[in-house]
Amino acid sequence: MIWKAAVFSIAVIFGGCPKRQTGPQVVYVPTPPPAAAPAQQSDQSIVVQAPPPLAPVVAKQATPPPPQPEPAPSSPPQPRRREVKTQPEKPSAEVPALQSAITSGQASALQEQVVKLQEGIEKRILFLSREWLSPSQRGTLETARGFLQQSEKARHDSDLQRAYNLAHKADLLVSSLQQAQ
Protein backbone atom coordinates (compact mmCIF):
# COMPACT_ATOMS: atom_id res chain seq x y z
CA MET A 1 0.00 0.00 0.00
CA ILE A 2 2.83 2.40 0.84
CA TRP A 3 4.58 1.70 -2.44
CA LYS A 4 1.41 2.68 -4.36
CA ALA A 5 1.32 6.05 -2.59
CA ALA A 6 5.03 6.55 -3.32
CA VAL A 7 4.57 5.74 -7.03
CA PHE A 8 1.54 8.03 -7.25
CA SER A 9 3.35 10.95 -5.56
CA ILE A 10 6.36 10.50 -7.89
CA ALA A 11 4.03 10.46 -10.91
CA VAL A 12 2.35 13.68 -9.73
CA ILE A 13 5.70 15.38 -9.09
CA PHE A 14 7.10 14.58 -12.53
CA GLY A 15 3.91 14.65 -14.56
CA GLY A 16 2.02 17.44 -12.85
CA CYS A 17 -1.68 17.54 -12.26
CA PRO A 18 -3.54 16.08 -15.29
CA LYS A 19 -6.43 18.56 -14.92
CA ARG A 20 -4.22 21.65 -14.82
CA GLN A 21 -4.79 23.96 -17.76
CA THR A 22 -2.85 27.02 -18.75
CA GLY A 23 -4.59 30.17 -19.93
CA PRO A 24 -4.02 32.01 -23.20
CA GLN A 25 -0.86 34.04 -23.54
CA VAL A 26 -0.47 37.46 -25.18
CA VAL A 27 2.72 37.70 -27.24
CA TYR A 28 3.92 41.09 -28.56
CA VAL A 29 5.56 40.76 -31.99
CA PRO A 30 6.91 43.79 -33.90
CA THR A 31 5.53 44.28 -37.41
CA PRO A 32 7.50 42.06 -39.80
CA PRO A 33 9.03 43.50 -42.97
CA PRO A 34 6.74 43.16 -46.02
CA ALA A 35 8.65 40.20 -47.51
CA ALA A 36 8.85 38.24 -44.23
CA ALA A 37 6.70 35.18 -43.63
CA PRO A 38 3.96 35.48 -40.99
CA ALA A 39 4.90 34.44 -37.46
CA GLN A 40 3.70 31.02 -36.32
CA GLN A 41 1.67 30.86 -33.15
CA SER A 42 0.77 28.13 -30.71
CA ASP A 43 -2.77 27.11 -29.81
CA GLN A 44 -2.90 29.31 -26.70
CA SER A 45 -0.99 32.38 -27.89
CA ILE A 46 -2.41 35.59 -29.26
CA VAL A 47 -0.08 37.47 -31.59
CA VAL A 48 -0.25 41.26 -31.27
CA GLN A 49 1.54 43.23 -33.96
CA ALA A 50 2.86 46.76 -33.58
CA PRO A 51 1.12 49.49 -35.59
CA PRO A 52 2.85 50.83 -38.68
CA PRO A 53 4.47 54.21 -38.07
CA LEU A 54 2.39 57.20 -39.22
CA ALA A 55 5.20 59.67 -39.79
CA PRO A 56 8.84 59.22 -40.83
CA VAL A 57 11.33 59.09 -37.98
CA VAL A 58 13.92 61.88 -37.94
CA ALA A 59 17.42 60.74 -36.95
CA LYS A 60 19.19 62.66 -34.21
CA GLN A 61 22.61 64.12 -34.79
CA ALA A 62 25.38 61.90 -33.42
CA THR A 63 27.21 63.23 -30.40
CA PRO A 64 30.93 62.69 -29.89
CA PRO A 65 31.88 59.99 -27.36
CA PRO A 66 32.77 61.19 -23.85
CA PRO A 67 36.48 61.60 -23.10
CA GLN A 68 38.31 58.62 -21.62
CA PRO A 69 38.93 58.95 -17.86
CA GLU A 70 42.52 59.17 -16.72
CA PRO A 71 43.87 56.09 -14.87
CA ALA A 72 43.65 56.18 -11.08
CA PRO A 73 46.78 57.49 -9.32
CA SER A 74 47.09 54.31 -7.23
CA SER A 75 47.72 52.17 -10.33
CA PRO A 76 51.26 51.79 -11.65
CA PRO A 77 52.20 54.49 -14.16
CA GLN A 78 51.66 53.47 -17.76
CA PRO A 79 53.64 54.92 -20.62
CA ARG A 80 51.80 57.78 -22.25
CA ARG A 81 50.84 57.44 -25.84
CA ARG A 82 52.04 60.02 -28.20
CA GLU A 83 49.21 62.25 -29.33
CA VAL A 84 49.00 63.37 -32.91
CA LYS A 85 47.66 66.88 -33.25
CA THR A 86 45.34 67.52 -36.14
CA GLN A 87 43.85 70.66 -37.54
CA PRO A 88 40.68 71.58 -35.69
CA GLU A 89 37.56 71.05 -37.78
CA LYS A 90 35.79 74.10 -39.00
CA PRO A 91 32.48 74.53 -37.27
CA SER A 92 29.67 73.61 -39.62
CA ALA A 93 26.74 75.85 -40.30
CA GLU A 94 24.10 75.87 -37.61
CA VAL A 95 21.69 73.00 -37.80
CA PRO A 96 18.14 74.24 -38.31
CA ALA A 97 15.60 73.33 -35.65
CA LEU A 98 13.61 70.17 -36.28
CA GLN A 99 10.18 70.87 -37.60
CA SER A 100 7.11 68.74 -37.26
CA ALA A 101 6.54 66.37 -40.17
CA ILE A 102 2.79 67.00 -40.06
CA THR A 103 0.83 70.12 -40.86
CA SER A 104 -1.49 71.84 -38.39
CA GLY A 105 -4.53 70.38 -40.19
CA GLN A 106 -3.10 66.88 -39.93
CA ALA A 107 -2.25 67.52 -36.27
CA SER A 108 -5.81 68.52 -35.41
CA ALA A 109 -7.19 65.48 -37.28
CA LEU A 110 -4.71 63.22 -35.48
CA GLN A 111 -5.66 64.76 -32.13
CA GLU A 112 -9.36 64.09 -32.80
CA GLN A 113 -8.53 60.52 -33.78
CA VAL A 114 -6.45 60.02 -30.61
CA VAL A 115 -9.21 61.46 -28.38
CA LYS A 116 -11.86 59.18 -29.94
CA LEU A 117 -9.57 56.16 -29.62
CA GLN A 118 -8.78 56.97 -25.98
CA GLU A 119 -12.46 57.43 -25.10
CA GLY A 120 -13.40 54.12 -26.74
CA ILE A 121 -10.61 52.28 -24.97
CA GLU A 122 -11.57 53.81 -21.63
CA LYS A 123 -15.16 52.56 -22.02
CA ARG A 124 -14.00 49.07 -23.01
CA ILE A 125 -11.56 48.92 -20.06
CA LEU A 126 -14.35 49.96 -17.69
CA PHE A 127 -16.58 47.21 -19.09
CA LEU A 128 -13.83 44.57 -18.84
CA SER A 129 -12.93 45.59 -15.29
CA ARG A 130 -16.46 44.56 -14.22
CA GLU A 131 -16.09 41.11 -15.82
CA TRP A 132 -14.44 38.10 -14.19
CA LEU A 133 -10.85 37.89 -15.44
CA SER A 134 -8.00 35.55 -14.60
CA PRO A 135 -4.93 37.04 -12.89
CA SER A 136 -2.98 37.12 -16.16
CA GLN A 137 -5.89 38.83 -17.91
CA ARG A 138 -6.08 41.36 -15.05
CA GLY A 139 -2.36 42.05 -15.59
CA THR A 140 -2.96 42.59 -19.29
CA LEU A 141 -5.84 44.95 -18.47
CA GLU A 142 -3.59 46.93 -16.10
CA THR A 143 -0.92 47.14 -18.82
CA ALA A 144 -3.53 48.49 -21.24
CA ARG A 145 -4.67 50.99 -18.59
CA GLY A 146 -1.01 52.11 -18.19
CA PHE A 147 -0.63 52.59 -21.95
CA LEU A 148 -3.84 54.64 -21.97
CA GLN A 149 -2.57 56.88 -19.14
CA GLN A 150 0.76 57.38 -20.94
CA SER A 151 -1.15 58.18 -24.13
CA GLU A 152 -3.20 60.84 -22.36
CA LYS A 153 -0.04 62.38 -20.89
CA ALA A 154 1.63 62.42 -24.32
CA ARG A 155 -1.46 64.07 -25.83
CA HIS A 156 -1.40 66.77 -23.14
CA ASP A 157 2.31 67.29 -23.92
CA SER A 158 1.34 67.72 -27.63
CA ASP A 159 3.25 64.58 -28.65
CA LEU A 160 0.43 63.31 -30.86
CA GLN A 161 2.36 60.58 -32.66
CA ARG A 162 3.43 59.00 -29.34
CA ALA A 163 -0.09 59.43 -27.95
CA TYR A 164 -1.53 57.60 -30.95
CA ASN A 165 1.00 54.76 -30.74
CA LEU A 166 0.38 54.23 -27.01
CA ALA A 167 -3.40 54.34 -27.49
CA HIS A 168 -3.09 51.83 -30.32
CA LYS A 169 -1.09 49.48 -28.06
CA ALA A 170 -3.78 49.76 -25.38
CA ASP A 171 -6.42 49.09 -28.05
CA LEU A 172 -4.63 45.92 -29.18
CA LEU A 173 -4.39 44.61 -25.62
CA VAL A 174 -8.05 45.34 -24.87
CA SER A 175 -9.08 43.72 -28.16
CA SER A 176 -7.14 40.58 -27.28
CA LEU A 177 -8.89 40.43 -23.90
CA GLN A 178 -12.30 40.87 -25.54
CA GLN A 179 -11.53 38.05 -27.98
CA ALA A 180 -10.58 35.77 -25.06
CA GLN A 181 -13.96 36.44 -23.36
Side-chain angles (χ1 to χ4, degrees):
M1 190 65 156
I2 294 176
W3 66 273
K4 287 183 182 178
V7 169
F8 179 73
S9 60
I10 290 174
V12 169
I13 290 172
F14 288 111
C17 180
K19 293 183 180 181
R20 187 175 89 192
Q21 298 177 359
T22 58
Q25 299 175 346
V26 176
V27 180
Y28 178 77
V29 179
T31 305
Q40 295 184 6
Q41 55 182 333
S42 67
D43 295 62
Q44 296 184 354
S45 296
I46 298 172
V47 177
V48 179
Q49 293 186 342
L54 293 179
V57 177
V58 179
K60 293 183 179 179
Q61 183 177 5
T63 58
Q68 297 283 339
E70 301 244 349
S74 61
S75 63
Q78 296 179 356
R80 291 194 173 230
R81 293 186 179 170
R82 191 172 159 199
E83 293 184 20
V84 178
K85 295 189 177 185
T86 59
Q87 294 290 334
E89 294 182 24
K90 294 180 181 178
S92 61
E94 288 188 28
V95 178
L98 293 177
Q99 295 181 359
S100 176
I102 58 177
T103 64
S104 62
Q106 290 173 333
S108 63
L110 182 59
Q111 182 164 358
E112 288 177 26
Q113 184 179 6
V114 168
V115 168
K116 286 180 184 177
L117 185 60
Q118 287 174 342
E119 289 172 352
I121 293 167
E122 194 169 335
K123 289 177 184 175
R124 291 165 47 208
I125 286 176
L126 184 63
F127 175 78
L128 283 172
S129 65
R130 295 179 183 150
E131 297 290 317
W132 184 91
L133 298 174
S134 70
S136 65
Q137 290 173 329
R138 286 267 175 220
T140 303
L141 186 65
E142 289 304 315
T143 302
R145 197 174 272 142
F147 281 144
L148 182 61
Q149 289 172 349
Q150 291 176 17
S151 173
E152 289 171 350
K153 183 181 182 310
R155 182 175 53 91
H156 289 296
D157 293 343
S158 298
D159 190 355
L160 298 177
Q161 182 65 48
R162 184 167 186 265
Y164 175 81
N165 288 339
L166 289 165
H168 188 73
K169 286 180 182 182
D171 182 48
L172 291 173
L173 289 174
V174 170
S175 295
S176 70
L177 285 175
Q178 286 178 328
Q179 289 175 358
Q181 289 290 321

